[in-house]
Amino acid sequence: MRETFDIQGMTCAACSARVQRAASDVPGVTEADVNLLKNSMELDFDGTDATAAAVVAAIEDAGYGALRRNAAGRGGASASAPAPGELARKAADERLRQLVVSLAFSVPLFYVAMGPMFGWPEVPGLDGMDNMMASALTQLLLCVPILLVNRHYFVTGFKTLWHRAPNMDSLIALGSAASFAYSVVSLYRMAWAFGAMDMAAAHEAMHGLYLDSAGMILALIDLGKYFEARAKGKTTDAIAALMDLAPKTATVVRDDVEVSVPTEDVRAGERVIVRAGESVPVDGVVLEGTASIDESAITGEAVPVEKGAGDRVTAATVSGRGWIAVEATAVGEDTTLAGIIRLVDEATSSKAPIERMADKIAGVFVPVVMAIAAVAFMAWMAISGDFATALNHAISILVISCPCALGLATPTAIMVGTGCGAANGVLIKSAEALETACSVDYVVLDKTGTVTAGKPRVTDVELSAGVTEADLVRVACALERKSEHPLAEAVCTYADETHPGVDAGARVEGFEQVAGGGLAGAVDGRRVLAGNLRLMEKSGVDLGGLAQRADALAAEAKTPLFFAADGRAIGLVAVADPVKPTSAEAISRLRALGAKTLLLTGDARLTAEAVARKVGVDEVMAGVLPSQKELRVRELQRAGHRVAMVGDGINDAPALARADVGIAIGAGTDVAIGSADVVLIRSDPADVALAMELSRATMRNIRQNLFWALFYNSICIPVAAGVLVPWGITLNPMIGAAAMGFSSVFVVGNALRLRTWKPSERRQHEVTPAAAPAVTVTETEAEAGTEAAKATEGRTTMEKKLNVEGMMCQHCVAHVKGALEGVDGVTEAVVDLEAGTAVAKCAGDVADEALVAAVKQAGYEASIA
């Protein structure tokens, strides 16, 4: 069982490593993944309350707090996951309050302590040798509030130190406490010197005051932590944006009355009304009405889709125009949007292999730093004999060391990269998949539904002697209706269009699917086979001239389906599945990334090769069984390749699970999606390259972060220890504290650069005559086309650009688009959220005022550009 725990008190990678060890050592726990960025832990355990309680106790014994997020119904308090944006905002607000108080006291503290050294005007009553005791007491009074407002560093730091698990707070607490304690001792020395009227001793003791260091260390760390909290909040923008897509209310029909209710109160089976400009609140099926639905939030497809009775709609999509009544089939946590959010959240909670290496380093980092500080202190005592000098170097080492940068290097980049993928229609289900995808050098592609559209149509029907088309279609349709395969659907659609009701009353018995071959069963008492050449040969069916005709059809990228009754071939049906427009581009981009491509399909060799020629794959393997797909993936792995498998069907699931990275087409089956590591929501094969490009960009960012974290610490710690003192270079503890705070900001800021990442430009490919589907235009259709051409002849298409203010999300875009397209004469409106513009394509002359008025009526400000 996998469950989420909220962890309290973590501040650095040493904390997360300690919590992970404590949880992993509990009997019954399989694996614990702690996420420093989200202050959470994903726990795989036996699911018992006793084990969960033992984990909480172990984490508390380690010096931290733990709360079982899904405790409702188990006798514990319920802890629901807070909204990412809200959590980040609260953290940043808390840091800001600490920073304001710290600066309010540290600035005058620094002025009083360091002003005389810089020649600044001195404060009356605190100037000169005679007032140095008053100056020292003032510094003490200014320092104490800073220590109090930052007491959590001392509470957590010394608590974890007591538990022999020191963290970043321990370093800060030791450094600041040592400065303060030494200053208090010096203050007493001053008082004793004044009592003895020994002004020289008092002046010497005055130089031992480090109250400004104690306060400024905390203030500068607060400054860095505030900027870090703000930057970390932006890493959750992708999840927050997804959550914001869900509408807050829904219009539901209850007791024949339309009522507005919170979306979470909608129940499955209820009738939901969606009007123009509104978001669909649930997943469901259209019962009545029509609407133009913008599905870009889910699929990334900018062109709205027309929906009518019987069509499925998805939560968070937006109705541009029209009215529909929808029966809710999935609500709340069961909607597609909720599933996407859940996948993204789980991915950001998982750990990449490279992060586990960083965690191991972080686990020993703080104890090593404390040991280095102790050695440096003793070394400087031996070299200089000056306690203050030795203490200064030890404190500098403690406060300049930054385990935070090491701990944040990977999870921040993973979170931003995963969110960026979701925004581009690529759902990455784990951090490990994101890391592995960057090294893929062999991409195996299924054909039907992946490279091709997956919606084949019958193009040719060939009959054996003595068989009529009606006879063939009746037998074929009756058997194929039992199958859910796309080719079966094509045969049934053809039968319904050309011979309506031909299979009415047909009895089908003993239906079975022959793996890699086709279908078998008894139709009206006759033993019928439907499938490929292998099935016919295996069954001993003589195909005669049909085999030669099948080869010719296969060379045209058509899939021949043979039909036999009682051991005799009765005909074949050729089905063509058009290649997706972006398939050739996908192969080209994969080749540019250095990856070879293999088209792996159960179809006939000639058909597969014809498709391969159109898209340009490197290798083709046709006629393979589902088990052979998995075997081929395994063979490539044994040859040393890092393999990605792309597929959409149930038969692809074993290969998807076997591959280093399984990539499922979003329109595919639940089994395929469940077996995959990456899901392409748009069902666009070009997004395979996008996933690899994103993976490489993310891993590049992670390596930069880790390099900086390790480089920073390996350089700054020796400098703080004083190795450059012979050359006149040393570090003040205050400078060390500032460097420590901003090293974490640098790492998080570098990760945020991924938010600006864009996939490589898509190239436009011309459709070759061979790739273009053959379309037979009936006389009626031709006449309609001619009439349409006459109707548009002489009409001029104009484009008018508007500047639109007030748009904040894709819902706003949909509202503006719907408003403009509702103006008479506007054929299409293209709205750009980032640019704040809208382009209205007009068939004829449309008044500027009408366009501006339409946008204003929708609730936005507009002007002609």
Side-chain angles (χ1 to χ4, degrees):
M1 178 179 177
R2 190 169 183 85
E3 197 167 312
T4 303
F5 288 69
D6 291 311
I7 308 300
Q8 301 163 344
M10 294 194 301
T11 57
C12 68
C15 300
S16 61
R18 173 64 176 169
V19 171
Q20 188 159 313
R21 281 199 304 272
S24 299
D25 290 341
V26 175
V29 173
T30 306
E31 183 181 14
D33 281 333
V34 180
N35 189 295
L36 172 64
L37 195 62
K38 298 165 66 178
N39 289 314
S40 66
M41 175 179 69
E42 296 295 325
L43 190 73
D44 280 327
F45 68 116
D46 56 19
T48 63
D49 291 338
T51 301
V55 168
V56 171
I59 293 172
E60 289 175 347
D61 288 342
Y64 305 89
L67 184 63
R68 197 174 179 185
R69 183 174 292 178
N70 299 321
R74 299 186 179 94
S78 176
S80 59
E86 181 66 16
L87 194 65
R89 186 188 62 79
K90 288 182 178 179
D93 289 347
E94 179 62 26
R95 291 295 185 185
L96 180 60
R97 284 191 290 270
Q98 293 174 5
L99 175 61
V100 169
V101 175
S102 295
L103 290 179
F105 288 95
S106 62
V107 170
L109 171 61
F110 185 81
Y111 189 95
V112 171
M114 303 299 294
M117 294 182 59
F118 292 106
W120 297 339
E122 295 191 52
V123 179
L126 303 179
D127 56 335
M129 295 289 291
D130 295 339
N131 294 320
M132 59 181 169
M133 191 65 190
S135 175
L137 289 172
T138 301
Q139 291 179 47
L140 178 66
L141 291 175
L142 289 170
C143 183
V144 169
I146 302 174
L147 300 181
L148 289 175
V149 77
N150 290 286
R151 61 188 176 277
H152 62 92
Y153 289 121
F154 300 96
V155 173
T156 305
F158 288 121
K159 183 180 180 181
T160 55
L161 193 60
W162 175 259
H163 286 281
R164 299 183 302 280
N167 61 2
M168 181 204 72
D169 288 348
S170 303
L171 299 179
I172 297 171
L174 284 172
S176 185
S179 296
F180 183 78
Y182 185 68
S183 299
V184 171
V185 171
S186 297
L187 193 61
Y188 273 98
R189 288 175 55 205
M190 286 179 65
W192 293 328
F194 273 116
M197 300 303 291
D198 186 349
M199 298 301 290
H203 187 262
E204 181 183 351
M206 180 75 172
H207 287 295
L209 290 179
Y210 285 93
L211 292 167
D212 56 323
S213 292
M216 289 300 293
I217 285 172
L218 296 172
L220 290 169
I221 288 175
D222 281 343
L223 181 62
K225 288 294 180 184
Y226 168 65
F227 285 118
E228 178 186 327
R230 285 190 59 186
K232 284 165 69 175
K234 294 179 181 178
T235 65
T236 62
D237 282 355
I239 297 178
L242 285 172
M243 295 178 74
D244 289 342
L245 288 174
K248 303 298 183 290
T249 61
T251 303
V252 182
V253 178
R254 292 178 178 173
D255 298 325
D256 296 327
V257 177
E258 293 185 11
V259 293
S260 181
V261 300
T263 302
E264 57 267 22
D265 291 344
V266 179
R267 299 183 295 271
E270 286 195 302
R271 184 184 179 93
V272 180
I273 305 300
V274 182
R275 295 179 173 84
E278 294 181 346
S279 295
V280 180
V282 295
D283 289 0
V285 178
V286 177
L287 296 175
E288 61 176 305
T290 59
S292 178
I293 304 295
D294 179 1
E295 299 182 328
S296 58
I298 301 297
T299 66
E301 178 57 54
V303 180
V305 180
E306 295 298 324
K307 299 286 186 177
D311 291 332
R312 303 192 68 84
V313 291
T314 306
T317 56
V318 181
S319 175
R321 59 173 177 264
W323 177 96
I324 51 175
V326 177
E327 180 185 354
T329 57
V331 298
E333 293 300 311
D334 297 326
T335 64
T336 300
L337 176 65
I340 292 173
I341 295 172
R342 192 160 49 247
L343 282 176
V344 174
D345 188 48
E346 289 174 357
T348 57
S349 298
S350 61
K351 287 183 183 289
I354 195 171
E355 185 176 358
R356 301 183 190 279
M357 177 200 71
D359 285 348
K360 290 179 181 178
I361 298 173
V364 299
F365 183 87
V366 175
V368 169
V369 168
M370 294 174 65
I372 293 172
V375 170
F377 176 81
M378 291 184 290
W380 277 104
M381 282 295 295
I383 294 171
S384 66
D386 181 20
F387 183 85
T389 300
L391 182 64
N392 188 73
H393 284 292
I395 293 172
S396 295
I397 292 171
L398 292 174
V399 298
I400 204 170
S401 306
C402 188
C404 290
L406 196 61
L408 293 171
T410 301
T412 48
I414 292 291
M415 180 166 282
V416 178
T418 305
C420 194
N424 284 277
V426 177
L427 282 183
I428 300 166
K429 295 165 69 173
S430 70
E432 184 173 359
L434 184 60
E435 177 178 341
T436 305
C438 75
S439 57
V440 165
D441 62 350
Y442 224 107
V443 179
V444 179
L445 301 118
D446 174 50
K447 182 180 77 69
T448 304
T450 302
V451 174
T452 61
K455 294 182 178 179
R457 294 195 53 91
V458 172
T459 59
D460 300 86
V461 176
E462 299 290 335
L463 305 172
S464 296
V467 179
T468 66
E469 182 173 321
D471 292 337
L472 173 62
V473 171
R474 174 181 172 81
V475 169
C477 185
L479 190 62
E480 298 286 4
R481 284 203 195 277
K482 298 289 185 179
S483 173
E484 296 180 354
H485 194 281
L487 296 182
E489 184 180 348
V491 172
C492 294
T493 300
Y494 176 79
D496 292 338
E497 291 175 352
T498 60
H499 299 78
V502 70
D503 62 325
R507 291 180 299 103
V508 180
E509 299 172 330
F511 174 82
E512 62 176 317
Q513 292 184 326
V514 182
L519 308 174
V523 179
D524 293 333
R526 302 169 67 191
R527 180 65 178 170
V528 176
L529 297 175
N532 57 22
L533 180 62
R534 185 192 307 111
L535 176 64
M536 297 298 138
E537 291 178 341
K538 182 179 179 181
S539 303
V541 177
D542 181 14
L543 297 174
L546 290 178
Q548 185 176 359
R549 180 57 183 150
D551 290 342
L553 292 169
E556 300 173 12
K558 298 176 181 178
T559 300
L561 298 176
F562 297 99
F563 292 87
D566 293 332
R568 172 177 173 267
I570 60 174
L572 71 80
V573 174
V575 179
D577 185 9
V579 172
K580 291 182 179 178
T582 56
S583 292
E585 174 198 342
I587 304 303
S588 177
R589 289 174 64 186
L590 289 171
R591 186 175 291 111
L593 291 171
K596 288 188 175 181
T597 52
L598 166 64
L599 187 65
L600 199 60
T601 177
D603 272 356
R605 178 180 57 81
L606 289 176
T607 304
E609 288 178 348
V611 172
R613 284 194 297 272
K614 292 179 181 179
V615 299
V617 295
D618 298 305
E619 186 181 346
V620 181
M621 189 172 181
V624 295
L625 301 172
S627 59
Q628 291 176 319
K629 289 186 178 183
E630 187 270 344
L631 179 62
R632 181 55 179 158
V633 170
R634 191 185 307 181
E635 289 173 350
L636 290 171
Q637 289 173 325
R638 287 174 179 169
H641 294 291
R642 189 62 68 90
V643 182
M645 172 69 196
V646 188
D648 72 324
I650 293 175
N651 61 340
D652 298 319
L656 288 169
R658 167 61 61 183
D660 296 288
V661 180
I663 303 177
I665 293 295
T669 65
D670 291 341
V671 175
I673 292 173
S675 304
D677 305 300
V678 178
V679 179
L680 308 182
I681 300 177
R682 293 184 289 214
S683 301
D684 187 345
D687 285 345
V688 177
L690 186 150
M692 290 176 59
E693 290 172 355
L694 176 60
S695 171
R696 295 184 182 187
T698 304
M699 291 308 300
R700 183 165 56 247
N701 191 281
I702 288 173
R703 293 188 184 100
Q704 290 169 352
N705 287 347
L706 288 174
F707 171 80
W708 165 257
L710 294 171
F711 174 79
Y712 163 85
N713 285 295
S714 62
I715 295 297
C716 290
I717 291 175
V719 173
V723 297
L724 298 181
V725 168
W727 292 273
I729 300 175
T730 187
L731 275 178
N732 183 284
M734 287 183 283
I735 297 175
M740 184 257 207
F742 282 94
S743 65
S744 297
V745 177
F746 178 88
V747 166
V748 178
N750 187 51
L752 287 176
R753 289 192 308 110
L754 275 173
R755 298 201 308 169
T756 63
W757 175 85
K758 299 292 182 185
S760 62
E761 290 294 328
R762 297 190 172 208
R763 292 172 296 278
Q764 298 297 321
H765 293 272
E766 294 183 0
V767 179
T768 61
V775 180
T776 302
V777 182
T778 64
E779 184 176 350
T780 304
E781 291 171 334
E783 289 173 357
T786 303
E787 292 301 319
K790 289 179 181 178
T792 57
E793 188 177 352
R795 295 176 66 180
T796 305
T797 300
M798 300 177 60
E799 291 189 357
K800 294 192 176 186
K801 186 176 182 180
L802 296 86
N803 292 322
V804 183
E805 297 180 7
M807 295 190 298
M808 302 182 65
C809 64
Q810 290 299 328
H811 292 205
C812 301
V813 170
H815 291 164
V816 173
K817 181 179 176 67
L820 288 173
E821 291 180 347
V823 177
D824 289 339
V826 176
T827 58
E828 183 184 5
V830 180
V831 184
D832 189 326
L833 176 61
E834 294 184 3
T837 61
V839 176
K841 298 180 180 180
C842 312
D845 188 23
V846 177
D848 295 348
E849 294 78 6
L851 299 174
V852 172
V855 175
K856 287 186 175 180
Q857 190 173 358
Y860 306 89
E861 292 297 321
S863 60
I864 298 297

